[in-house]
Amino acid sequence: MILQNLAEYYENLVLQEKVSKSGWCQAKVSHAIELNEDGTIKAIISKRKEEERGKKKIWVPVLLNVPEMVTRSSGVSSNFLCDNAKYFLGIDGDGIQKRTIECFESAKERHLMLLEEANGKMARAICLFFKNWKPECADENLSVKEHWDELNEGGNLIFCMKAIYAQDEKEIQDIWEEYLKKQKQGKQGICLVTGQRAEIARIHRGIKGVPGAQSSGAALVSFNAPAFESYGKEQSYNAMVGKYAEFAYTTALNYLLNQSEYKFALGDSMIVFWAESGQEEYQDSFLSWLNPKVDNQEEMNKVFGNLKKGVWVDLEDIQLDPEQRFYILCLAPNAARLSVRFYYQNSFGNIIKNIAKHYQRMEIVRPSWEDMRYLGIKQMLNETVNQKSKDKTPIPNMASMVLSAILSDTKYPASLYTDTLIRIRAEQGKVTCGRAAIIKAFLIQNYKWKEGDEYMGLNEGCEESAYVLGRLFAVLETIQKDANSGINTTIRDRYFNSACATPASVFPTLIKLKNSHIKKLERESGGTKIYYEKILTELMGKIEKFPRRLSLEEQGKFMLGYYHQVQKKYEKKEEK
């Protein structure tokens, strides 16, 4: 289904002229070799442009349509009209070597074979260049010497004359198209993607843009050892994908990975997403809802509020079809190949509804300084890692599983909950609003905690032992702080983890400590003592005895009760 959906997406992109047709591809080009009519180099022209990436400005290659490039692993095989300096100039940063000469000779042979019978000025100039160029004398050419370091960075080069690219010349385009038609037909079979009889692709092109994978491209479909083969079929003949379908799906996926605004990294994975129609408005909306920012919180509140009423609302007057098919693909690096962490497809409307349900479960009372009502997937996962460590990446597989659970409205992975609890314990009971929201959402979705739906803020009527114990611990900590103004270390730093896991071993000690704090408060303010004793009496009345141990589910409720009680203290009173 992945290849079929990508192939359909490719066809929509072709109609919109966003990708190249079969036999051609888009490549990142760093420099152009401008030729004179006699084949000598007139100039080396940089084609890179300056772009802002975060706070930095960097120079990036331009994307151009060029003849389809070959798939290289370790052998020598030249591309036509677009390749690196080893093939077109025979040079390398380490000097002239046997392999660079072989690369140049491969490019020379390929271009002369295709263009030697051509009559145009551009084709003749390229042929003369390859016949006369001597790699060992490359550093004597002033233009090459001037750009020597840039040329050896590995970027692609093309040929041009008077600002006209060689691949745009009509004569050369016709030669390339005719060459493709005359190519020897390979093995025939029924394509698994199109269902039609076609020539089967022996090797699938690499996919570029997944961090951690090979920069030259990693294969999504690949068979490189007998152990992975069957019925005597070698390489990708094991996967009966026609050449057109192979070109279509790889082109579409490379296009998605090249659009920085329509992909995002999550852990070690890269997420790409698209609508069947190819309309970018769906991608814009999906990303804004999955990774919200401060300035779109009100818009999201409007949309999700209306979804509860069964009303579909478009943002910024963009007409979106709730029935539009939408696809999300999660890819992870795996040596020279790509792993599919998950693939999810549904109608756009259902996906947004599932995201809305997730945000509803995550609703929690927040400190007054917290602007983000809707916590995006990245910010959510950040709550599970130590923000002071160098590596702030969440557990890779867990990150993708969380996203999959949100999109499909299924159970969250257990590691999301346990990692959140571990992080709270590691920081001596630091329950942030994000961590409290994760605990609440997990208990509702995975443990079917129906009462939790109403637990956005403090639930004073709840009599669940673990929740009440969390509230009690928060009150005891507050009493200690009020009795000892300016104290740096509280009972939370020393006793929180034990109180959360084994209440019976800790709370009797905390009650004794409380008595001395209450006496100190009584001397300073009798009203404060009465206020706290009233709360303590209410909470202690809901506890028959302190449990010896709390389960993981109960520990989450303990932390949630603690967080709610702490936030209650800082809650602003309504003006009367």
Side-chain angles (χ1 to χ4, degrees):
M1 287 302 292
I2 298 175
L3 305 190
Q4 186 176 5
N5 296 147
L6 284 169
E8 291 170 354
Y9 179 58
Y10 162 78
E11 291 173 353
N12 283 320
L13 291 175
V14 170
L15 292 175
Q16 299 172 39
E17 298 183 350
K18 292 180 179 178
V19 295
S20 55
K21 60 183 181 178
S22 181
W24 297 76
C25 69
Q26 290 188 322
K28 294 179 179 179
V29 177
S30 298
H31 294 81
I33 303 174
E34 186 176 11
L35 300 176
N36 294 309
E37 289 188 20
D38 61 359
T40 56
I41 296 178
K42 182 178 181 181
I44 301 292
I45 305 170
S46 175
K47 306 306 297 182
R48 296 179 297 176
K49 57 183 180 180
E50 194 175 34
E51 279 189 6
E52 287 190 13
R53 297 283 176 87
K55 297 180 180 180
K56 297 181 180 180
K57 288 186 177 181
I58 61 173
W59 291 92
V60 297
V62 65
L63 208 60
L64 296 177
N65 279 331
V66 298
E68 186 177 359
M69 302 176 79
V70 299
T71 300
R72 284 196 291 250
S73 53
S74 57
V76 174
S77 182
S78 173
N79 291 308
F80 181 53
L81 299 181
C82 179
D83 218 319
N84 59 46
K86 291 180 182 179
Y87 282 88
F88 279 7
L89 297 172
I91 63 174
D92 190 5
D94 297 328
I96 305 299
Q97 298 179 6
K98 180 181 177 182
R99 182 177 174 83
T100 57
I101 298 299
E102 290 176 355
C103 291
F104 176 76
E105 290 299 325
S106 173
K108 177 179 179 180
E109 180 183 352
R110 185 168 179 80
H111 285 79
L112 291 179
M113 182 266 292
L114 286 166
L115 300 178
E116 198 158 26
E117 301 299 324
N119 299 315
K121 292 181 180 179
M122 180 77 75
R124 289 203 307 270
I126 293 173
C127 290
L128 288 170
F129 165 78
F130 277 108
K131 288 177 179 178
N132 299 323
W133 180 255
K134 299 184 184 303
E136 60 273 15
C137 301
D139 57 353
E140 297 176 8
N141 185 284
L142 295 178
S143 297
V144 173
K145 188 175 182 180
E146 182 183 354
H147 296 274
W148 186 271
D149 292 335
E150 297 173 13
L151 292 171
N152 284 300
E153 288 176 354
N156 288 318
L157 314 178
I158 58 172
F159 294 106
C160 72
M161 286 181 67
K162 298 178 181 178
I164 299 174
Y165 300 142
Q167 66 269 20
D168 293 339
E169 278 275 329
K170 183 66 169 60
E171 181 189 31
I172 294 178
Q173 288 180 348
D174 291 341
I175 290 172
W176 176 247
E177 294 288 351
E178 189 64 27
Y179 169 76
L180 293 175
K181 291 178 183 178
K182 291 180 179 179
Q183 286 300 291
K184 183 180 179 181
Q185 293 290 309
K187 291 187 178 181
Q188 299 287 310
I190 302 299
C191 175
L192 296 174
V193 177
T194 63
Q196 299 176 356
R197 188 168 187 80
E199 182 184 355
I200 303 303
R202 184 178 67 87
I203 297 176
H204 291 219
R205 288 190 306 159
I207 307 300
K208 301 178 182 180
V210 177
Q214 288 187 351
S215 58
S216 59
L220 187 61
V221 178
S222 173
F223 302 82
N224 72 325
F228 310 125
E229 298 170 356
S230 58
Y231 298 101
K233 296 179 179 178
E234 297 179 348
Q235 295 184 322
S236 293
Y237 290 134
N238 286 271
M240 302 287 281
V241 178
K243 278 197 169 183
Y244 170 78
E246 179 271 331
F247 177 83
Y249 93 77
T250 53
T251 301
L253 190 49
N254 278 319
Y255 171 82
L256 286 167
L257 288 165
N258 194 52
Q259 306 298 307
S260 57
E261 63 270 35
Y262 300 133
K263 66 177 182 180
F264 65 91
L266 195 63
D268 71 336
S269 304
M270 182 60 70
I271 314 295
V272 293
F273 42 92
W274 69 96
E276 186 176 42
S277 64
Q279 292 174 272
E280 295 178 349
E281 290 81 2
Y282 292 92
Q283 293 168 297
D284 291 328
S285 298
F286 174 77
L287 188 59
S288 68
W289 287 326
L290 200 61
N291 277 319
K293 295 180 173 57
V294 176
D295 56 3
N296 73 337
Q297 298 285 300
E298 288 303 318
E299 290 180 337
M300 291 179 63
N301 191 38
K302 177 183 175 183
V303 172
F304 294 145
N306 280 277
L307 283 176
K308 290 180 184 179
K309 303 172 186 176
V311 179
W312 179 265
V313 178
D314 293 319
L315 290 178
E316 300 177 356
D317 298 324
I318 300 172
Q319 297 299 315
L320 300 177
D321 179 10
E323 300 303 318
Q324 173 70 235
R325 298 300 296 176
F326 198 78
Y327 309 94
I328 302 99
L329 175 61
C330 177
L331 299 171
N334 181 17
R337 289 159 190 78
L338 297 178
S339 297
V340 176
R341 281 277 164 80
F342 75 85
Y343 181 59
Y344 184 73
Q345 55 177 310
N346 205 331
S347 68
F348 187 71
N350 285 339
I351 289 174
I352 298 306
K353 286 177 182 177
N354 289 341
I355 294 175
K357 290 177 183 177
H358 162 72
Y359 281 130
Q360 184 178 353
R361 290 189 292 268
M362 291 278 290
E363 282 280 5
I364 197 85
V365 61
R366 307 180 310 280
S368 58
W369 46 263
E370 181 59 63
D371 296 325
M372 294 289 288
R373 176 177 179 181
Y374 299 102
L375 198 66
I377 180 72
K378 289 184 178 180
Q379 294 91 339
M380 177 184 173
L381 292 171
N382 283 341
E383 297 289 351
T384 67
V385 296
N386 183 5
Q387 292 304 305
K388 293 181 180 179
S389 66
K390 290 184 179 179
D391 183 11
K392 299 180 177 63
T393 306
I395 296 175
N397 195 40
M398 184 264 284
S400 60
M401 290 170 67
V402 170
L403 178 58
S404 179
I406 293 171
L407 296 172
S408 56
D409 192 30
T410 55
K411 288 185 176 182
Y412 300 106
S415 54
L416 171 66
Y417 183 68
T418 54
D419 282 10
T420 303
L421 266 57
I422 290 170
R423 181 51 27 209
I424 291 173
R425 292 194 194 101
E427 297 181 17
Q428 289 79 43
K430 186 178 179 181
V431 187
T432 62
C433 61
R435 291 168 185 170
I438 292 172
I439 291 171
K440 174 176 174 281
F442 189 91
L443 291 173
I444 293 171
Q445 184 75 337
N446 290 50
Y447 286 109
K448 304 303 178 185
W449 191 35
K450 294 181 180 179
E451 295 85 353
D453 289 332
E454 306 299 327
Y455 286 14
M456 177 179 172
L458 180 65
N459 188 334
E460 296 179 341
C462 177
E463 297 191 0
E464 289 191 59
S465 173
Y467 186 82
V468 174
L469 286 170
R471 290 184 59 195
L472 178 60
F473 190 91
V475 172
L476 293 174
E477 182 187 24
T478 304
I479 292 173
Q480 182 190 26
K481 286 182 177 179
D482 287 355
N484 302 277
S485 181
I487 188 173
N488 292 324
T489 303
T490 68
I491 59 172
R492 192 196 80 181
D493 301 280
R494 184 174 179 182
Y495 295 106
F496 185 89
N497 292 345
S498 299
C500 181
T502 56
S505 66
V506 175
F507 271 96
T509 303
L510 297 179
I511 296 298
K512 290 179 182 178
L513 288 173
K514 176 267 302 180
N515 292 334
S516 62
H517 296 146
I518 284 288
K519 288 180 181 178
K520 187 174 182 180
L521 286 175
E522 185 179 16
R523 293 193 297 269
E524 297 174 358
S525 173
T528 304
K529 174 201 170 186
I530 295 171
Y531 169 75
Y532 282 126
E533 284 187 337
K534 182 180 178 182
I535 297 177
L536 290 170
T537 301
E538 177 194 349
L539 294 176
M540 292 297 288
K542 296 179 179 181
I543 302 172
E544 293 183 8
K545 64 176 183 178
F546 294 117
R548 294 182 62 185
R549 283 182 173 80
L550 295 181
S551 65
L552 280 178
E553 177 184 355
E554 291 171 326
Q555 288 179 38
K557 293 178 181 179
F558 178 99
M559 294 174 182
L560 197 58
Y562 171 81
Y563 174 80
H564 280 154
Q565 188 66 48
V566 170
Q567 292 305 311
K568 183 69 175 177
K569 178 184 177 183
Y570 300 109
E571 187 180 79
K572 292 183 178 179
K573 295 182 179 180
E574 294 182 7
E575 295 182 7
K576 296 184 179 178

